[in-house]
Amino acid sequence: MHFKRLHTCCTVLKERAINVKGKKHSSNLWLARQMKDPYVEKSKQENYRCRSAFKLLEINERFNILYPGMVVVDCGAAPGSWTQVAVKLTNANGALNECPKGLVFSIDKRIFQSIEGAEILGNSDFTHPDTHNKLRLLLKESLVDLVMSDMAPNATGVKKLDHDIIIDLSYSAMKFALQFSKPGSSFLTKLWDGEKTSQLQNDLMKFYKTVKFIRPKATRIDSTEQFLLARDFKGLKSS
């Protein structure tokens, strides 16, 4: 399963593609929407791989979840726009000499283009023990300040089914975060609204002190997308 929805990624668009012979009507609508989307053009101008970068930038501007010196894991990271933002804001690329240097690890089942300052774990499933072992070696016994997930399944068009699948992805990312996060850390995940959203929020409250729903301005008007930000991880009690 590919974890990124196709419409979240930037494509080189040409106006003549709008009514290309043989294209499905839905594809033409998608192309037209992309061309009218200011965040698509802005992402090209600022060299982000996807318009989704601006969602994370806005969340950070409001809640300050990324800062120099942090250790961050981006789950289901391809094609890497959130990783690009994380590298810049944590100083993982060492661009700010006066600030501490962070660490950013990007995990995805797909192999994707490298990003300076990030450790890319392509061809890796973040739920698999082999990936966990690999990450622990790279972390050198340290723990993580932020686990984030912009993952989403390829939409089927069946709202309940799509909601159930993305909830399962969020729970998988949450389980990962509980294993690798240090006390006081944060967790950020994407959702499509539905009947299981409140249950996820309640489950996160068992492990984090605060949980907020966020809908960034860059989210499209016709989308049910929102994000859950859980902050101040309480840690796991040892038995």
Side-chain angles (χ1 to χ4, degrees):
M1 177 184 295
H2 292 308
F3 288 144
K4 287 287 183 180
R5 293 173 73 186
L6 295 178
H7 76 249
T8 63
C9 300
C10 303
T11 307
V12 177
L13 302 172
K14 297 182 180 180
E15 188 169 357
R16 68 173 180 268
I18 296 299
N19 290 304
V20 173
K21 185 177 180 180
K23 287 283 186 181
K24 292 182 179 179
H25 179 64
S26 59
S27 298
N28 289 327
L29 290 175
W30 180 85
L31 289 166
R33 183 177 65 176
Q34 289 290 92
M35 290 185 63
K36 294 178 181 178
D37 190 330
Y39 290 102
V40 172
E41 184 60 34
K42 192 174 181 181
S43 62
K44 296 176 189 175
Q45 294 171 356
E46 299 190 24
N47 201 33
Y48 288 120
R49 295 180 182 179
C50 287
R51 68 187 299 285
S52 58
F54 296 101
K55 300 172 189 177
L56 182 57
L57 286 166
E58 181 186 338
I59 291 169
N60 183 68
E61 184 176 347
R62 291 171 60 185
F63 299 102
N64 192 32
I65 61 172
L66 290 159
Y67 49 84
M70 286 183 69
V71 180
V72 176
V73 176
D74 187 1
C75 294
S81 62
W82 273 29
T83 294
Q84 288 178 295
V85 172
V87 164
K88 180 178 179 180
L89 296 179
T90 64
N91 195 35
N93 57 3
L96 304 173
N97 294 328
E98 69 279 11
C99 293
K101 189 175 180 179
L103 293 171
V104 176
F105 300 95
S106 300
I107 308 173
D108 201 278
K109 288 183 176 180
R110 290 178 285 175
I111 296 174
F112 62 104
Q113 186 179 355
S114 63
I115 297 170
E116 183 181 357
E119 182 74 41
I120 306 293
L121 281 69
N123 198 29
S124 299
D125 183 343
F126 76 92
T127 68
H128 199 279
D130 288 347
T131 304
H132 293 183
N133 292 335
K134 187 187 304 183
L135 181 59
R136 287 190 177 98
L137 287 173
L138 292 168
L139 286 169
K140 298 177 181 177
E141 299 185 2
S142 62
L143 292 172
V144 176
D145 296 296
L146 170 66
V147 173
M148 57 186 189
S149 165
D150 191 36
M151 292 184 294
N154 292 322
T156 66
V158 180
K159 184 176 180 181
K160 185 180 185 306
L161 176 59
D162 291 337
H163 173 67
D164 288 348
I165 295 172
I166 200 169
I167 284 287
D168 287 345
L169 288 174
S170 291
Y171 271 108
S172 295
M174 170 185 163
K175 183 179 178 181
F176 174 91
L178 297 182
Q179 294 179 72
F180 284 92
S181 297
K182 65 177 64 172
S185 65
S186 300
F187 171 66
L188 177 66
T189 187
K190 178 161 75 178
L191 298 172
W192 295 328
D193 193 26
E195 62 181 11
K196 296 181 180 179
T197 300
S198 295
Q199 184 59 54
L200 176 58
Q201 180 187 26
N202 291 338
D203 288 338
L204 283 168
M205 285 297 299
K206 298 173 184 176
F207 301 100
Y208 295 84
K209 291 185 179 179
T210 64
V211 180
K212 294 179 180 290
F213 286 101
I214 307 168
R215 184 176 167 86
K217 293 178 182 177
T219 296
R220 290 190 168 106
I221 295 174
D222 60 351
S223 174
T224 64
E225 176 188 270
Q226 57 186 325
F227 294 84
L228 266 177
L229 173 60
R231 307 197 72 176
D232 205 355
F233 178 48
K234 300 173 186 177
L236 296 178
K237 296 180 180 180
S238 57
S239 56

